[in-house]
Amino acid sequence: MEKVYSEQAKTCEVIQAGKATVDRLLQFSRTLHLVEYKDFTFEANLN
Amino acid sequence: MELLQAKDATLIQKYTQGDERALEVLINRYNTRLSSFIYSKVFDKEITEDIFQDTFVKVIRTLKRGKYNEEGKFLPWVIRIAHNLIIDHFRKSNRMPRYEMGEEYSLFSIMQDGSLNAEHQLIQDQITEDLASLIRQLPEDQQKVLQMRMYQEMSFKEIAERTGVSINTALGRMRYALINLRRLIEEHSIVLTN
């Protein structure tokens, strides 16, 4: 029984996205700007 | 400190008003739950990070465009985005998730009860809600035919009798109902898969 559970352990492993990924997302958000023109919305990434 | 205790809806509002710290709180709040959800499907930490990142890129774009309107349901919405990206990942890589099975008999292969797990149930509820709101946008005669056919499983003969029209008219209404639904789904870029 113990062995059966251990085979499934991977499906409920608790993990987290790393700090680098989170920082990249925050950087993306800070630099993303939307420019509206008539009915269109354009994305601009201003680094 | 105040932000850490704020509700999702408040954080979203602050973020859309330009407070970038609110996004950081949201990401950190759901990092473990979302990453673990993705990992439970793909079993690969690098792919998990990629999908996690793509999920939040979509979240950021939607919030910045002011198109988020599911107040109070942030996590199910994010999980649904991640779920769709996981499907895309398996479609692209042309393979299905592999389950590691030992040589011994696996109890889990016969223990599944066929019901949806918590995440899938949340997604399913959201899809049902979306579909219901789309149907409500159809003209009334088309709504009636669609509901009788799909939800009450009535034949077109029965529908025709009940609504006082010919079978051809009932068929035509059903056809236009489906055409209009497809158009609405395309217009709103809605993904109705679980």
Side-chain angles (χ1 to χ4, degrees):
Chain A
M1 198 63 188
E2 189 186 344
K3 194 166 176 60
V4 175
Y5 278 115
S6 67
E7 281 171 8
Q8 295 293 321
K10 218 175 172 186
T11 61
C12 53
E13 196 170 328
V14 175
I15 63 159
Q16 269 198 329
K19 190 178 178 303
T21 303
V22 176
D23 286 346
R24 213 174 302 127
L25 282 166
L26 296 174
Q27 178 68 14
F28 169 77
S29 170
R30 273 193 290 269
T31 56
L32 180 68
H33 292 271
L34 298 176
V35 182
E36 289 188 10
Y37 175 74
K38 291 187 177 174
D39 290 338
F40 300 100
T41 304
F42 298 100
E43 284 184 6
N45 214 266
L46 307 174
N47 270 309
Chain B
M1 192 62 188
E2 193 186 316
L3 279 178
L4 286 175
Q5 286 158 359
K7 288 182 177 175
D8 292 350
T10 310
L11 291 170
I12 290 163
Q13 193 187 10
K14 281 186 178 292
Y15 176 61
T16 52
Q17 288 166 353
D19 189 346
E20 295 285 336
R21 290 171 309 156
L23 176 70
E24 190 173 358
V25 175
L26 276 172
I27 293 175
N28 289 330
R29 182 174 289 176
Y30 295 117
N31 188 342
T32 307
R33 265 197 267 182
L34 186 62
S35 298
S36 301
F37 167 75
I38 298 167
Y39 185 72
S40 73
K41 306 284 181 276
V42 299
F43 301 134
D44 183 301
K45 286 183 180 168
E46 283 182 16
I47 294 169
T48 298
E49 293 236 0
D50 286 348
I51 294 177
F52 179 90
Q53 183 174 298
D54 291 347
T55 302
F56 267 100
V57 164
K58 276 185 186 271
V59 168
I60 289 165
R61 284 198 166 120
T62 307
L63 293 179
K64 287 230 171 186
R65 282 169 180 256
K67 289 192 172 174
Y68 175 79
N69 58 3
E70 298 179 83
E71 201 174 313
K73 294 176 184 171
F74 181 73
L75 182 62
W77 175 61
V78 174
I79 284 181
R80 204 168 125 201
I81 293 172
H83 181 263
N84 289 335
L85 289 170
I86 291 165
I87 292 172
D88 287 348
H89 160 72
F90 284 120
R91 276 188 190 143
K92 275 183 205 158
S93 59
N94 198 24
R95 66 182 169 83
M96 292 301 289
R98 279 177 290 183
Y99 295 95
E100 291 174 12
M101 304 290 284
E103 287 176 8
E104 288 176 26
Y105 173 73
S106 168
L107 185 62
F108 288 93
S109 63
I110 57 161
M111 273 184 69
Q112 290 171 351
D113 62 3
S115 61
L116 297 171
N117 65 25
E119 290 100 350
H120 283 139
Q121 190 57 55
L122 282 171
I123 294 164
Q124 189 61 48
D125 291 348
Q126 192 63 54
I127 289 170
T128 307
E129 206 175 289
D130 283 352
L131 195 56
S133 71
L134 285 175
I135 291 172
R136 281 197 294 273
Q137 291 184 50
L138 294 173
E140 203 176 335
D141 54 349
Q142 293 173 21
Q143 273 186 47
K144 265 189 191 167
V145 175
L146 193 79
Q147 280 161 355
M148 287 177 180
R149 180 74 187 135
M150 304 305 289
Y151 295 109
Q152 297 169 29
E153 297 182 352
M154 291 167 70
S155 69
F156 281 106
K157 187 168 178 284
E158 289 170 323
I159 294 170
E161 283 168 4
R162 180 76 66 88
T163 53
V165 297
S166 69
I167 293 179
N168 275 342
T169 304
L171 282 165
R173 286 179 181 173
M174 183 69 186
R175 182 169 170 267
Y176 279 105
L178 294 176
I179 290 170
N180 285 327
L181 265 186
R182 282 197 195 101
R183 187 175 51 78
L184 285 170
I185 289 166
E186 275 173 25
E187 272 177 18
H188 296 280
S189 304
I190 295 169
V191 180
L192 296 170
T193 54
N194 190 355

